[in-house]
Amino acid sequence: MRTAVLLTISNIFMTIAWYGHLKYRESALWKAVLVSWGIAFAEYCFQVPANRIGYGRFSGAQLKTIQEGVTLVVFCFFSILYLKESLKWNVLVGFGFMVLAVFFVFHEFLGKVFEAWF
């Protein structure tokens, strides 16, 4: 649970660092890079402990999958609330396929079924 909470906080900072500057396109690029870098430092302060705490209970691939799943959820809220962009059906379907990928990563029994076929 701590891993998921820390990864969620990390992803909030990451999303702000990567996309928050898009509303300020009139600002100099170097300023956007420096501010984003500062925000990204805060992201790492949560992401690194999350992965350290979670590794062992989760594999590296599972940690990455959790991070990507959380990223999608955080970005959906960010896109709607901050960027004021709607999520179109094709984006939601694409995100849905990524959520399906999360399902497959965490359900090893399906992997054993597929391994038996190939």
Side-chain angles (χ1 to χ4, degrees), residues 4 7-12 14-15 19 65-82 85 87 91-92 94-96 98-100 102:
L7 285 174
T8 300
I9 295 168
S10 164
N11 273 280
I12 291 168
M14 179 191 74
T15 301
Y19 302 102
T65 303
I66 294 167
Q67 188 266 332
E68 293 299 335
V70 170
T71 297
L72 289 175
V73 172
V74 169
F75 184 79
C76 285
F77 283 105
F78 184 84
S79 179
I80 293 167
L81 298 174
Y82 183 78
E85 296 179 359
L87 296 174
V91 171
L92 292 173
F95 285 177
M98 290 184 217
V99 170
L100 189 60
V102 171

Side-chain angles (χ1 to χ4, degrees), residues 2-4 6-7 10 46-55 63:
R2 285 190 308 171
T3 299
L6 290 170
L7 285 174
S10 164
F46 291 96
Q47 183 267 341
V48 171
N51 286 332
R52 286 254 178 133
I53 291 167
Y55 190 66
L63 284 170

